Amino acid sequence: MASSGIRLFLLSFLGFALLAGAEVHEHEFIVQETPVKRLCKEHNIITVNGQFPGPTLEVREGDTLVINVVNHAQYNVTIHWHGIRQFRTGWADGPEFVTQCPIKPGGSYKYKFTIEGQEGTLWWHAHSSWLRATVYGALVIRPREGKPYPFQKPSREFPVLLGEWWDANPIDVIREAQRTGAAPNVSDAFTVNGQPGDLFNCSRQDTTAISVKPGDTALLRFVNAALNHELFVAIAGHRMTVVGVDASYTDPFATDVLMIAPGQTTDVLVTMDQPPAARYYVAARGYVTTQGVPFDNTTATAVIEYDCGCSATATTTKELGPSIPPAFPALPAFNDTGAATAFAKGIKSPKKVEIPSPVDENLFLTVGLGLFNCEPGQLCGGPNNNTRFTASMNNVSFVFPKTDSLLHAHYYDVPGVFTTDFPAYPPVQFDYTAQNVSRGLWQPVPATKLYKLRFGSVVQIVLQDTSIVSPENHPIHIHGYDFLILAEGFGNYDPEKDAQKFNLENPPQRNTVAVPVNGWAVIRFRADNPGVWLMHCHLDVHITWGLAMAFLVEDGYGELESLEAPPVDLPMC
């Protein structure tokens, strides 16, 4: 009996010692309207604490974040902590009508969660309508105190957030598209840390500048916060060494070009080994896989400046030295799928990975666009007469509930909010990537269907792009989970032939996978986080059209495998 008590004491002491270095970080996010000037015009935009982009949160692995979000804006809002596992704390995940009802104007909600087993760069953003066009910021997770990076310690670190800017209210842009059924107007510029760069009128003096010293090794933490565009990124005169993606370390590899899909992050080391008298552009422009549709064809820039005597933070060129025309990097063509594919193939885990197995749930999900017929007497702006754009997975166009959140309805067994009959396979099998798919397959079924998973089950998903309306690269994000990308390819997935291509040694771990245009990706994860978890395309126009579904992961055994009770201030619909 005494020895058992000693063991319990030692275990308790060990647990306390392990947690002793962890901290609790408390923040207040005031969501408000703020005037900003871009592209020669002043606009009122929705911001957090008056900042665009919003504040960078810096923590260590094991820390707890408590963020009180106060809504002083005129729109409903939620905040999603993109990529955070939210183990048992699904109430803090943030997608509107999925894990919570929105925070109404004048309301507030306190998000609380602990960051466990994740290091690197993530980010946070609004998950209501198109508010994330301006409501977003970086989330930097460093190793615990005394634990080094698994790569050369950088001299300096810079979050580099890539975004999109509309010369209009983004909420009005998407509301007009929803009214007509047409595609929304494309953005007017890309941005780097909120600035379009000196290729645009009225923008040069505010171009984001990164101050470095000769010989520095800088860690650049790239985040693609753009709503609707994958982006190529390059730095003039400098190679990049990729060391992390989506808060998971990678086997380091050198590259001249990054391709980052919306939702993804990429950490790179850059050695500042070029002549310091020169200046160097960091440039980003779209990677576009649809054909014959409008897209943002602009290029956003930031500038790397050597030895300016500035502090080790990103600043603006108006605070720097003499203006020297920067060197411009070589960027791929906007439709260079070969460059995007080559970059994706370079990403691998740094060591042998324990692959979850055996597989309990084999899912095959088509992802793509579609068309709804208009209501009688309605004029719609879709590509065909009297049609409106939609999107779906396995022919189900996801409908978000309006009277309750999915997680709340699940926890309290509220009937009529959702069903659990989302199909594991397409209801009709067809040549998914053919040039002429039968028009009978273009119209999906609108519904709120979830797929139920037993706690601890191993899930493998084939994500298959389709050519309905147009094939496209789709960045698919799963909330609440990281997953392993076992393989990617083009054409229709062949279970016999393509299974031979699986990387079962060191596949990359991510929370967002860019499913190749006219192709497929295979991902695998263990369903060890109870709750309701959204899976959706991170092109926001596509989630607006219904390219989403959700998993309902049941509780396991005991408290530590069960969803926590909802917080007392959880917003109600």
Side-chain angles (χ1 to χ4, degrees), residues 33 44-46 73-77 96 126-135 166-179 184 227 540 544:
E33 197 170 272
N44 284 334
I45 65 171
I46 306 303
Q74 69 269 39
Y75 305 109
N76 290 341
V77 70
E96 185 178 57
H127 216 296
S128 297
S129 185
W130 273 21
L131 284 182
R132 84 169 177 91
T134 56
V135 178
W166 276 263
D167 222 356
N169 180 348
I171 302 298
D172 292 342
V173 172
I174 188 56
R175 284 180 175 175
E176 176 64 12
Q178 290 173 308
R179 184 185 68 81
L227 264 70
D540 267 30
T544 302

Side-chain angles (χ1 to χ4, degrees), residues 20-260:
E23 297 183 16
V24 177
H25 303 262
E26 297 194 28
H27 300 272
E28 187 162 73
F29 276 16
I30 306 298
V31 180
Q32 63 190 51
E33 197 170 272
T34 303
V36 301
K37 187 174 183 180
R38 297 291 187 277
L39 306 182
C40 310
K41 298 178 184 177
E42 186 168 278
H43 291 279
N44 284 334
I45 65 171
I46 306 303
T47 66
V48 166
N49 298 348
Q51 301 175 43
F52 174 59
T56 294
L57 301 179
E58 300 189 37
V59 299
R60 292 186 181 276
E61 192 271 324
D63 287 354
T64 295
L65 272 167
V66 181
I67 304 102
N68 186 39
V69 176
V70 182
N71 188 6
H72 288 173
Q74 69 269 39
Y75 305 109
N76 290 341
V77 70
T78 64
I79 302 293
H80 170 51
W81 317 94
H82 186 108
I84 295 293
R85 284 289 318 271
Q86 298 289 3
F87 187 69
R88 301 181 59 232
T89 54
W91 308 103
D93 190 45
E96 185 178 57
F97 295 111
V98 177
T99 58
Q100 67 170 97
C101 296
I103 307 168
K104 298 180 176 69
S108 66
Y109 179 46
K110 189 172 288 186
Y111 295 88
K112 181 178 180 180
F113 53 90
T114 299
I115 299 166
E116 300 177 271
Q118 295 180 285
E119 296 176 12
T121 306
L122 294 174
W123 62 302
W124 57 267
H125 61 82
H127 216 296
S128 297
S129 185
W130 273 21
L131 284 182
R132 84 169 177 91
T134 56
V135 178
Y136 62 86
L139 174 50
V140 174
I141 308 168
R142 295 191 174 86
R144 290 176 183 258
E145 193 74 46
K147 180 183 175 184
Y149 290 125
F151 46 77
Q152 174 187 353
K153 183 178 179 181
S155 311
R156 303 181 178 207
E157 300 184 17
F158 303 95
V160 185
L161 291 99
L162 310 171
E164 277 178 279
W165 176 263
W166 276 263
D167 222 356
N169 180 348
I171 302 298
D172 292 342
V173 172
I174 188 56
R175 284 180 175 175
E176 176 64 12
Q178 290 173 308
R179 184 185 68 81
T180 65
N185 291 340
V186 300
S187 49
D188 295 287
F190 296 120
T191 58
V192 182
N193 288 354
Q195 295 290 343
D198 59 8
L199 303 184
F200 291 84
N201 292 334
C202 309
S203 303
R204 182 176 183 183
Q205 70 171 359
D206 294 313
T207 296
T208 296
I210 299 173
S211 167
V212 299
K213 293 184 179 298
D216 274 351
T217 296
L219 176 60
L220 303 184
R221 300 176 177 272
F222 285 98
V223 177
N224 187 350
L227 264 70
N228 296 312
H229 284 83
E230 287 100 348
L231 294 168
F232 285 123
V233 183
I235 305 175
H238 298 75
R239 295 209 87 193
M240 297 171 280
T241 299
V242 177
V243 294
V245 295
D246 295 359
S248 292
Y249 293 120
T250 65
D251 190 17
F253 74 97
T255 181
D256 293 318
V257 177
L258 314 176
M259 198 292 281
I260 314 178

Side-chain angles (χ1 to χ4, degrees), residues 523-538:
I523 64 174
R524 191 183 294 186
F525 64 94
R526 186 181 298 277
D528 57 1
N529 193 2
V532 176
W533 305 106
L534 188 65
M535 180 168 76
H536 65 94
C537 182
H538 223 276

Side-chain angles (χ1 to χ4, degrees), residues 245 259 261 264 287 337 339-348 461-464 473-476 483-494 497-503 507-510 512-523:
V245 295
M259 198 292 281
Q264 292 182 334
Y287 165 50
T337 293
T341 303
F343 175 72
K345 285 184 176 178
I347 302 173
K348 296 180 174 63
I461 307 174
V462 176
L463 296 163
Q464 173 72 61
N473 184 299
H474 294 281
I476 302 298
F483 49 76
L484 299 173
I485 303 175
L486 300 185
E488 299 179 31
F490 293 97
N492 297 330
Y493 176 76
D494 183 323
K497 180 180 68 176
D498 292 328
Q500 306 303 314
K501 303 174 185 176
F502 284 7
N503 178 358
Q509 179 170 280
R510 304 206 72 150
T512 305
V513 56
V515 178
V517 56
N518 253 333
W520 51 267
V522 180
I523 64 174

